[in-house]
Amino acid sequence: MVSELGSLGAEAYIIGACLHNNSYISYCQGVLKRKHWYGIDYGKVFSIMVKSFNDGNEISVQTLYRGCKDVGMQITPKFIAACSTSAEHVTDKLVQEHAMIIIDYYRRRLVEGFLTTTGKSMTTGEGNIEEHLNEMRDLLKKVDEANARNDHMTPEELMEKILERAKQQERGGNIEGMIKTGIKQIDEHTMGLMGGEMMVIGARPSVGKTEVGCVSTYYNVDQNIPVLFITLEMQEDALFSRLLKYKYDLSGSNLRTGRINERAKGVLENDKEAVKWPVYIRKMSDVDVIDVRTEIRKYVLKYGVKLVIVDYLGLIKDRRGKKGEEAMSDKSNNIKQAALENDIPIILLAQLSRKTDDRKYAEPEMGDLKGSGAIEADADVVYLLWRPEMAGATKIGDVDVTNKMKLKNPKFRGGDKKSFYVDFEDGQIKGIGNDLPF
């Protein structure tokens, strides 16, 4: 028999790695199936981890032990602690290697079982060894081809995808799989956001970064595209009120305080569209980046979310033993990985440092983003919001900046960098979308 020490050791390592860093559960549940696990207890423990993780819970040695007890598993704390200590060194590469060891041993068990069956049939005179060997080769070839198809796209498939995107662009319609922000100048510049991309919106307080997130949310949910808005500073009803102001003319009313005139009250009471929006506003506080990454995964799996807004980076706690630039790099990289592993775009809002106040009219620069080096490496596109009018300017060059916001674009991985002005009045961006009455 094939020795199973290698498989069991790898299985213990995977559970330990997922305990050390819950984000690895997302990768492992996509790679490892129930059939791959040789150790029955390891497989059951991992299934409990996955279910709890997808429900939005943080997984630790203590919570995993309680979860096992709740379903009647006879698992000791020592068993789970041993798994945790077996993963002393945890890196992306090691997790991938141990997952492949588990899959490799599973395949070896299949072959061994096939050979055992072949030996029995040979003793009874059924078939011959060459036929059995050829059948086994064909089976393994099909398995490998299927796995390869799941792991990557062929050049032919990639070419077909690119040409189809070009055809959609020629027809002037939305490109399939591309998510628009609803801000015409951004959408004309980027042509939309693809799955796995991260857009960073940086600004000083009260300049308009949350407004960009709200516009993007409204534009998509009003077209029935599911959006998750993770807010670390605003209440859910306050954010939803802002979305309603894009949908309806609610002038003269303050939804936040409840001062609503009769006309606006009638509009809201008769609403049959906004109440059905696929918008998920998640208020979070005192959380680290793994909590945020876990929440994103949960909403993608449960509700089919296609766009995520995170407001904002600086309010995500540092709890992973990292400080300063290293901590910001860890947070930025994890948000980017969440976009990649879920194949969705994420708009990450970030606050700029006070260094902008030292410049004429407080003009922002890339270096004003806290952890700008890490963010620049992770982000696919960055816009820095600037409202010169707030610093007393009426003109910048030949441009009248009254009621204007400038979006400076220091990075765009997908093309040329381009900056532009948008109309901004009464705390709102004007000119949302291509056909909306603003």
Side-chain angles (χ1 to χ4, degrees):
M1 290 290 292
V2 173
S3 170
E4 296 305 334
L5 289 175
S7 182
L8 292 176
E11 290 170 17
Y13 177 89
I14 288 295
I15 291 174
C18 291
L19 283 169
H20 285 294
N21 186 340
N22 287 180
S23 64
Y24 286 125
I25 299 175
S26 295
Y27 167 77
C28 291
Q29 70 173 312
V31 173
L32 297 172
K33 309 304 178 188
R34 184 183 294 270
K35 64 183 181 181
H36 292 139
W37 295 82
Y38 176 73
I40 295 175
D41 285 342
Y42 291 117
K44 287 182 177 178
V45 168
F46 183 73
S47 296
I48 291 169
M49 290 180 79
V50 168
K51 184 179 185 305
S52 184
F53 176 78
N54 291 338
D55 286 342
N57 300 315
E58 183 176 349
I59 314 298
S60 66
V61 172
Q62 293 77 17
T63 59
L64 181 57
Y65 174 63
R66 288 198 296 268
C68 291
K69 281 192 67 178
D70 289 344
V71 297
M73 279 193 70
Q74 300 299 313
I75 293 293
T76 65
K78 188 175 180 181
F79 174 87
I80 297 175
C83 290
S84 179
T85 56
S86 71
E88 184 177 350
H89 302 291
V90 180
T91 65
D92 292 354
K93 185 178 180 182
L94 284 174
V95 170
Q96 292 167 4
E97 287 177 352
H98 281 79
M100 290 312 299
I101 288 171
I102 294 172
I103 294 171
D104 183 55
Y105 270 90
Y106 165 74
R107 289 175 174 172
R108 291 169 68 179
R109 292 196 299 274
L110 284 182
V111 172
E112 186 172 279
F114 187 90
L115 288 173
T116 302
T117 304
T118 300
K120 289 180 180 178
S121 65
M122 285 169 58
T123 59
T124 57
E126 297 174 7
N128 60 67
I129 190 169
E130 192 63 35
E131 288 178 357
H132 289 306
L133 288 174
N134 286 336
E135 183 181 349
M136 186 172 69
R137 291 190 191 100
D138 289 342
L139 176 63
L140 291 176
K141 183 179 179 182
K142 288 177 181 177
V143 169
D144 287 338
E145 288 175 349
N147 285 334
R149 282 196 298 273
N150 290 334
D151 290 342
H152 73 280
M153 295 180 70
T154 66
E156 183 180 4
E157 291 169 332
L158 291 169
M159 183 66 76
E160 184 178 341
K161 186 175 182 179
I162 290 170
L163 292 174
E164 178 57 31
R165 192 178 297 157
K167 289 178 183 176
Q168 291 173 347
Q169 179 61 33
E170 289 174 1
R171 291 195 294 266
N174 286 340
I175 298 175
E176 185 178 353
M178 301 284 270
I179 299 294
K180 300 289 186 72
T181 67
I183 300 172
K184 289 187 287 188
Q185 293 91 332
I186 290 181
D187 295 334
E188 289 170 358
H189 180 210
T190 63
M191 303 309 300
L193 297 172
M194 299 175 64
E197 291 187 334
M198 183 172 79
M199 174 187 285
V200 174
I201 304 293
R204 289 293 293 146
S206 303
V207 171
K209 62 181 181 295
T210 301
E211 170 70 4
V212 172
C214 288
V215 167
S216 300
T217 299
Y218 165 71
Y219 180 76
N220 283 282
V221 300
D222 202 47
Q223 299 180 74
N224 208 36
I225 298 172
V227 177
L228 169 63
F229 195 119
I230 295 178
T231 174
L232 289 94
E233 66 169 351
M234 291 185 67
Q235 294 298 326
E236 297 97 321
D237 57 337
L239 270 172
F240 191 67
S241 295
R242 293 179 71 160
L243 304 184
L244 289 173
K245 290 172 72 174
Y246 304 127
K247 181 73 174 176
Y248 301 116
D249 177 12
L250 300 175
S251 55
S253 295
N254 189 325
L255 302 187
R256 188 180 68 84
T257 62
R259 294 178 180 175
I260 305 175
N261 59 38
E262 287 303 314
R263 182 189 56 78
K265 185 178 179 181
V267 168
L268 297 179
E269 287 178 341
N270 290 293
D271 166 75
K272 290 182 173 58
E273 295 182 28
V275 291
K276 295 181 179 178
W277 279 341
V279 60
Y280 307 97
I281 301 174
R282 180 70 170 92
K283 175 74 169 70
M284 302 183 75
S285 59
D286 194 32
V287 294
D288 64 18
V289 72
I290 296 302
D291 298 321
V292 173
R293 188 169 171 179
T294 299
E295 205 68 8
I296 291 170
R297 180 67 176 172
K298 181 178 79 174
Y299 276 82
V300 169
L301 291 173
K302 193 170 183 179
Y303 299 108
V305 162
K306 301 298 183 186
L307 171 67
V308 173
I309 317 292
V310 179
D311 184 16
Y312 60 92
L313 181 64
L315 293 179
I316 299 175
K317 300 292 184 183
D318 304 322
R319 287 192 184 137
R320 290 154 60 81
K322 297 177 172 62
K323 301 293 182 184
E325 185 84 12
E326 187 184 16
M328 194 60 67
S329 175
D330 180 56
K331 291 189 283 189
S332 170
N333 184 256
N334 267 281
I335 299 296
K336 172 63 176 177
Q337 292 305 312
L340 288 169
E341 70 190 8
N342 293 293
D343 194 27
I344 56 164
I346 294 179
I347 298 177
L348 175 62
L349 310 183
Q351 190 159 298
L352 300 180
S353 72
R354 292 188 178 88
K355 289 188 293 185
T356 58
D357 299 337
D358 298 333
R359 300 188 198 100
K360 188 176 182 180
Y361 301 131
E363 182 175 3
E365 296 177 356
M366 187 68 184
D368 298 329
L369 273 171
K370 296 176 182 178
S372 58
I375 292 172
E376 187 171 7
D378 293 325
D380 295 278
V381 57
V382 177
Y383 290 106
L384 306 178
L385 309 186
W386 181 33
R387 287 168 55 199
E389 187 180 18
M390 292 180 67
T394 54
K395 269 196 169 186
I396 299 293
D398 296 329
V399 179
D400 182 350
V401 294
T402 305
N403 294 329
K404 296 283 186 183
M405 174 195 285
K406 187 172 186 178
L407 282 78
K408 297 185 64 177
N409 175 223
K411 179 178 180 180
F412 180 32
R413 203 191 302 273
D416 296 332
K417 293 179 285 188
K418 182 180 180 181
S419 300
F420 39 78
Y421 285 95
V422 298
D423 293 328
F424 191 94
E425 190 174 356
D426 297 327
Q428 286 186 246
I429 295 173
K430 303 299 180 180
I432 300 173
N434 297 315
D435 53 4
L436 301 177
F438 289 88

